[in-house]
């Protein structure tokens, strides 16, 4: 299979099922932002490989998250008004439960959250913060798409919860790396 097809040279692309839309369409923007998030999580995973053992539960959870993001991307790339959703594009409730358990597990091991934190610290924690902000942008984009086409509540919940997970993961990674969390200096005006 050729990597280039030349079919997108004029700014159009195909959704699942072949429907052609502009590359600027909100549906393309939504799954494209989820894809960007997935790539940023791949970089986070590479940084975590240097910090944590391979059998660490968060290292394993990140791989699962990346797979779930592919499911979400496939879901978002399907215009369900014109094409039936494929089984591989359906997120299961277990995906959300897995994220929530990850959040709860980390929260048991880190100090309580008492102030706004600067997105900083070690390389892995800083990358987790980048992932968190890209995740929030993906969520906003999916919610804009939701104004045109109904989006599964589970997909919206998953993306929202994922940014929470990435926040607590950043905090954990700073602790593991021995980096101090920097609190927002409100008096900086």
């Amino acid at each position: 299979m050729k990597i280039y097809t030349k079919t997108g040279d004029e700014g159009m692309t195909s959704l699942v099922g072949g429907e052609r839309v502009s590359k600027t369409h909100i549906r393309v923007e939504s799954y494209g932002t989820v894809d960007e998030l997935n790539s940023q999580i791949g970089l986070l995973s590479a940084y975590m490989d240097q910090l944590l053992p391979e059998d660490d539960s968060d290292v394993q959870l990140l791989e699962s998250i990346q797979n779930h993001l592919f499911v979400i991307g496939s879901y978002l790339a399907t215009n369900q008004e014109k094409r039936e959703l494929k089984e591989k594009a359906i997120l299961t409730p277990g995906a959300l439960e897995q994220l929530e358990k990850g959040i709860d597990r980390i929260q048991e091991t880190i100090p309580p959250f008492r102030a706004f934190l600067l997105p900083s610290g070690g390389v892995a924690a800083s990358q987790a913060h980048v992932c968190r902000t890209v995740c929030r942008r993906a969520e906003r984009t999916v919610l804009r798409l939701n104004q045109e086409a109904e989006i599964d509540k589970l997909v919206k919940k998953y993306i929202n919860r994922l940014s929470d997970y990435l926040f607590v993961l950043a905090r954990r990674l700073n602790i593991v790396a021995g980096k101090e969390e920097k609190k927002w200096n409100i008096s900086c005006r």
Side-chain angles (χ1 to χ4, degrees), residues 80-96:
Q80 294 176 55
E81 291 178 3
K82 297 186 177 184
R83 177 79 174 186
E84 187 174 332
L85 197 60
K86 293 182 179 180
E87 187 176 339
K88 68 179 182 181
I90 299 172
L91 193 66
T92 64
L96 182 63

Side-chain angles (χ1 to χ4, degrees), residues 131-185:
C131 292
R132 176 185 54 79
T133 60
V134 173
C135 187
R136 286 293 185 203
R137 181 161 38 90
E139 180 182 25
R140 291 188 302 271
T141 307
V142 167
L143 292 174
R144 279 198 307 275
L145 175 59
N146 191 63
Q147 294 172 346
E148 294 181 18
E150 186 175 341
I151 301 299
D152 186 322
K153 288 179 183 178
L154 186 58
V155 168
K156 293 183 285 189
K157 286 180 183 180
Y158 187 88
I159 294 174
N160 182 45
R161 207 74 80 247
L162 178 54
S163 63
D164 295 334
Y165 169 74
L166 292 164
F167 177 75
V168 297
L169 178 61
R171 295 192 67 212
R172 176 183 181 232
L173 293 172
N174 270 333
I175 290 169
V176 171
K179 301 289 184 178
E180 184 178 338
E181 292 181 315
K182 296 179 184 177
K183 295 179 178 70
W184 174 34
N185 180 357

Side-chain angles (χ1 to χ4, degrees), residues 3 16 18-20 29 42 71-72 90 113 141 149 158 171:
I3 194 68
V16 171
E19 177 187 355
R20 301 289 290 169
E29 184 68 25
V71 170
I72 291 170
I90 299 172
F113 175 60
T141 307
Y158 187 88
R171 295 192 67 212

Side-chain angles (χ1 to χ4, degrees), residues 33-45:
T33 308
V34 168
D35 186 39
E36 178 186 353
L37 172 60
N38 207 340
S39 296
Q40 291 286 359
I41 288 175
L43 181 58
L44 171 58
S45 182

